[in-house]
Amino acid sequence: MPPTAHQDHTARIDVAPLQRPDHADYIELLELTTVSGHLPPEVRHVLTLLAAQPPSTHGTALCLTARPRRSTHPKPAGALLASFPDWAFHHPLTQNNPALAQVLSRTVLLIYGVATAPTRRRQGIARTLLTEAEDRARTAGYGMTTLLHAPHLTDFYEHLGYTTAHHVTIALPDAAMGLTQPQPCLTAVKALRPDIHIRKLPGAPGPVVTGLLPGWDLPPTARFEDGHLIT
């Protein structure tokens, strides 16, 4: 089991699962990541649920807060919300394949939002939150983390080991699952195990994730032609 709190001695930040007294501050922080300034009502409901299974802390969601160590300020300075990706159940390749949907939902962790208080930015808080989420996902057997971001954050996520693109493909045993974001949004993906690779294939519209599960590898000669994966 992952530890209850992550201590980053370089950034001097403590990260821990969300506690009830911090609910209002947690929501306020995550609302900074939305265009409308408001989170969907179901997020508040999730915060009332017991954890389903690791790495979740509330229902099927992973909810983390961050505070600078020994800070006298009582409010959390950072917040992260993650869960299974919605496309695991709504992608055309999974809508009629519930078994595949379940596998993907237990293999990929989507970070829906990571936020830092405006007065606490550039202190390593977002980086430490992401590292904790990745560690918990890896410990729970997940193979990849992913998130959506604006173009100006590309350097930040690539520095943390993510690969970013408008189009990412996940290689399945008999198909290729394409994840395309409308401009200007980008998808960032990061492998959590050494047997998972994010490759460039000839003809592919973007990076390709291989080895997400055993048997999901591609031969060295794999390529794309006219939008189709050729193995």
Side-chain angles (χ1 to χ4, degrees), residues 80-226:
L80 179 143
L81 172 65
S83 187
F84 61 83
D86 52 0
W87 47 257
F89 293 93
H90 300 298
H91 193 278
L93 290 177
T94 62
Q95 288 180 343
N96 296 317
N97 191 340
L100 176 60
Q102 287 293 337
V103 166
L104 289 170
S105 72
R106 296 173 183 171
T107 307
V108 180
L109 183 72
L110 174 61
I111 297 167
Y112 282 92
V114 58
T116 303
T119 58
R120 294 287 189 174
R121 289 174 182 165
R122 298 187 180 277
Q123 297 179 22
I125 292 175
R127 174 178 59 83
T128 306
L129 282 164
L130 287 165
T131 298
E132 176 71 4
E134 293 162 9
D135 288 347
R136 287 172 176 264
R138 187 182 295 108
T139 299
Y142 282 58
M144 186 175 79
T145 51
T146 183
L147 54 88
L148 305 182
H149 68 87
H152 71 277
L153 294 173
T154 297
D155 289 345
F156 172 75
Y157 286 113
E158 290 184 345
H159 180 72
L160 296 180
Y162 284 82
T163 298
T164 67
H166 287 292
H167 186 99
V168 173
T169 300
I170 298 177
L172 306 179
D174 301 309
M177 173 179 280
L179 306 174
T180 302
Q181 301 305 324
Q183 299 279 2
C185 291
L186 295 166
T187 293
V189 291
K190 182 176 181 177
L192 300 180
R193 300 196 313 265
D195 56 328
I196 298 173
H197 302 282
I198 301 171
R199 299 169 52 185
K200 294 182 178 179
L201 296 184
V208 179
V209 180
T210 67
L212 192 57
L213 284 177
W216 291 19
D217 297 298
L218 292 177
T221 56
R223 66 192 188 281
F224 276 74
E225 289 186 4
D226 299 324

Side-chain angles (χ1 to χ4, degrees), residues 16-23 26 42-65 80-84 136:
L18 171 67
Q19 301 298 316
R20 185 175 296 276
D22 293 329
H23 280 195
Y26 177 83
E42 54 265 30
V43 173
R44 295 176 184 269
H45 173 67
V46 165
L47 303 188
T48 68
L49 303 177
L50 297 176
Q53 61 183 17
S56 64
T57 58
H58 299 72
T60 59
L62 173 62
C63 306
L64 301 174
T65 57
L80 179 143
L81 172 65
S83 187
F84 61 83
R136 287 172 176 264

